[in-house]
């Protein structure tokens, strides 16, 4: 049993390193369907379930300190690529489609909570809000919401399973939608001429100009992000708490989110290695959260899977109605939905299935989600708690 905080952190980092190596260097079929974050969650939770991690002040203090330090730094680095100038180029109709997709997710959670509330855990609204953060942003937004609202670890484990299973099925559906896109577009009477491939070419050029990762860029990113994290945490502690959601962590996340958007529009936003370092931090945070979970009460997981399915069905219905009324083509709907539910890893892939020149549209959609996902998740928590 591990009761030393440093050894505990070392085991989590070693486990994360093994998983990243296998997913990046080995082409096992399972890695196509199960993300590395989920494998890390399952592995760390299993270690805790069998008693490898013991209850001790050292372990708890180490996990809390590292998570609190890395969370704002991770959000800051993830937003370095979110250039508002490129997002504005998408045009009002594409942007509206993305926000309708996000709204459909939130409405789906409200409808689902009203249906399933009687059977759910009293604090399930917190975990569902974290899932809403993931389904309107990404995994980083999920852990950010979790870090603010402190959903029970057991319930959070359920929604992570929901996130993995339903995301995989949703991705298959979005890929399959390519085959009937022409018929769908005729049904909605959509005009596809407003999709400007030149926006994609501009974004691809920007991406190609990034310098290679070197020691100077790594030190600047590590030192700068951790300093901003410390400063944001201190500032958050000086500001008043407003209700159950707006606390010191919320203020810190808001501060780094705004700063990240500002930096993204400057040359600093193109510093090499920002996304890679952010993913490293995300692995550490997910490992810490998972190490506080166990598999002793998985009997409730099917209930949360059913709830997640209802969310996506409501989301799909809203998109269908919107497409018919606004005459929107399937490409925009599929990529906007994938950017919400799947995030940066899957939205460009689905976009490429429709048209390779429009891949950056998927990237920009996902980047919008990476900014709004945390706040959408927190809003969902507030709405569900009021119900």
């Amino acid at each position: 049993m591990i009761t030393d905080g440093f050894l505990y952190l070392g085991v989590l980092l070693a486990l994360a390193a093994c998983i990243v190596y296998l997913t990046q260097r080995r082409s096992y079929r399972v890695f196509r369907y199960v993300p590395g974050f989920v494998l890390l969650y399952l592995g760390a939770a299993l270690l805790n379930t069998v008693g490898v991690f013991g209850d001790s002040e050292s372990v708890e203090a180490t996990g809390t300190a590292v998570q609190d330090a890395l969370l704002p730094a991770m959000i800051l680095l993830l937003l370095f690529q979110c250039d508002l100038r490129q997002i504005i180029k998408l045009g009002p109709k594409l942007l509206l489609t993305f926000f309708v997709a996000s709204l459909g997710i939130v409405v789906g959670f409200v409808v689902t909570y009203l249906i399933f509330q009687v059977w759910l855990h009293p604090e399930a609204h917190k975990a569902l809000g974290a899932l809403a953060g993931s389904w309107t942003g990404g995994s980083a937004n999920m852990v950010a919401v979790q870090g603010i609202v402190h959903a029970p670890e057991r319930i959070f484990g359920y929604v992570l399973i929901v996130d993995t299973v339903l995301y995989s099925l949703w991705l298959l559906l979005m890929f399959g939608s390519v085959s009937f896109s022409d018929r769908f577009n005729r049904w909605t009477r959509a005009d596809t001429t407003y999709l400007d491939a030149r926006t994609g070419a501009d974004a691809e050029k920007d991406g190609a100009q990034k310098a290679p990762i070197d020691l100077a860029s790594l030190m600047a990113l590590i030192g700068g992000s951790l300093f901003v994290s410390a400063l944001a945490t201190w500032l958050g502690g000086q500001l008043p708490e407003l209700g159950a959601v707006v606390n010191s962590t919320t203020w810190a996340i808001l501060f780094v989110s705004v700063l990240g958007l500002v930096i993204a529009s400057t040359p600093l936003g193109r510093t090499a290695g920002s996304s890679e370092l952010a993913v490293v931090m995300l692995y550490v945070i997910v490992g810490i959260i998972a190490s506080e979970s166990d598999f002793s009460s998985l009997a409730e997981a099917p209930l949360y899977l059913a709830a997640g399915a209802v969310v996506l069905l409501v989301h799909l219905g809203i998109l269908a109605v919107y497409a018919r009324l606004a005459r929107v083509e399937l490409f925009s709907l599929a990529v906007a939905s994938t950017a919400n539910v799947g995030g940066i890893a899957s939205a460009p892939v689905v976009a490429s299935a429709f048209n390779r020149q429009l891949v950056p549209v998927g990237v920009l959609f996902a980047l919008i989600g990476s900014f709004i996902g945390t706040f959408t998740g927190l809003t969902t928590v507030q709405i569900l708690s009021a119900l």
Side-chain angles (χ1 to χ4, degrees):
M1 180 182 292
I2 296 175
T3 57
D4 178 74
F6 187 45
L7 180 57
Y8 153 79
L9 185 61
V11 170
L12 290 180
L13 287 171
L15 177 60
C18 291
I19 290 173
V20 171
Y21 175 81
L22 290 174
T23 55
Q24 297 293 318
R25 295 288 188 266
R26 295 291 184 266
S27 57
Y28 298 125
R29 181 172 296 180
V30 66
F31 298 145
R32 299 179 186 176
Y33 308 103
V34 183
F37 298 120
V38 175
L39 293 174
L40 175 60
Y41 193 99
L42 295 175
L46 180 62
L47 291 177
N48 187 52
T49 302
V50 299
V52 173
F53 300 134
D55 292 329
S56 74
E57 184 177 342
S58 177
V59 167
E60 182 178 354
T62 299
T64 301
V66 172
Q67 182 176 341
D68 290 347
L70 293 186
L71 182 58
M74 175 195 68
I75 297 295
L76 176 74
L77 294 176
L78 281 175
L79 290 174
F80 272 23
Q81 300 178 57
C82 191
D83 192 337
L84 286 176
R85 293 169 299 183
Q86 293 293 341
I87 291 172
I88 293 172
K89 288 182 181 181
L90 290 176
K93 194 168 185 179
L94 272 173
L95 292 174
L96 177 62
T97 300
F98 176 83
F99 288 114
V100 168
S102 300
L103 178 63
I105 293 290
V106 175
V107 173
F109 275 99
V110 173
V111 172
T112 300
Y113 193 70
L114 290 173
I115 296 173
F116 289 87
Q117 182 178 7
V118 66
W119 299 293
L120 296 175
H121 187 279
E123 292 189 285
H125 63 281
K126 296 180 178 179
L128 292 175
L131 182 59
S134 177
W135 282 1
T136 55
S139 299
N141 303 100
M142 173 187 271
V143 299
V145 176
Q146 162 68 1
I148 293 172
V149 302
H150 302 293
E153 299 298 339
R154 178 167 60 92
I155 309 300
F156 184 72
Y158 297 155
V159 299
L160 187 66
I161 294 172
V162 173
D163 188 24
T164 304
V165 174
L166 295 185
Y167 154 72
S168 301
L169 295 176
W170 198 254
L171 192 58
L172 291 175
L173 177 62
M174 293 300 102
F175 276 123
S177 69
V178 178
S179 62
F180 58 84
S181 61
D182 290 338
R183 284 176 290 172
F184 184 89
N185 292 341
R186 286 195 298 269
W187 176 69
T188 61
R189 304 185 300 278
D191 177 14
T192 61
T193 58
Y194 78 99
L195 289 172
D196 187 359
R198 288 176 297 176
T199 299
D202 291 342
E204 285 179 338
K205 289 179 183 178
D206 290 343
Q209 293 174 354
K210 285 191 175 181
I213 302 173
D214 57 17
L215 179 61
S217 63
L218 281 178
M219 286 302 297
L221 291 170
I222 294 173
S225 64
L226 290 178
F227 169 73
V228 170
S229 175
L231 179 62
T233 302
W234 178 81
L235 287 174
Q238 309 305 308
L239 297 173
E241 295 189 2
L242 304 174
V245 170
V246 181
N247 52 32
S248 59
T249 306
T250 311
W251 288 118
I253 297 299
L254 178 61
F255 177 80
V256 298
S257 297
V258 173
L259 183 60
L261 281 181
V262 173
I263 292 176
S265 61
T266 70
L268 287 176
R270 294 189 292 273
T271 304
S274 59
S275 60
E276 290 83 0
L277 182 57
V279 172
V280 170
M281 294 178 177
L282 180 57
Y283 267 99
V284 176
I285 294 170
V286 170
I288 292 172
I289 292 174
S291 68
E292 299 173 355
S293 307
D294 61 56
F295 298 132
S296 59
S297 303
L298 285 181
E300 295 181 35
L303 176 63
Y304 287 86
L305 282 169
V310 173
V311 172
L312 293 180
L313 287 174
V314 173
H315 167 69
L316 185 63
I318 290 175
L319 286 181
V321 172
Y322 164 73
R324 178 71 175 180
L325 295 176
R327 299 185 178 185
V328 178
E329 84 294 330
L330 186 57
F331 164 79
S332 298
L333 295 175
V335 177
S337 179
T338 306
N340 276 276
V341 178
I344 192 66
S346 52
V349 181
V350 170
S352 70
F354 284 88
N355 187 333
R356 288 183 62 86
Q357 289 182 305
L358 294 169
V359 167
V361 175
V363 174
L364 293 173
F365 270 170
L367 290 174
I368 298 172
S370 70
F371 176 70
I372 71 169
T374 301
F375 306 105
T376 306
L378 293 175
T379 301
T380 304
V381 173
Q382 285 282 61
I383 295 172
L384 299 185
S385 64
L387 297 176

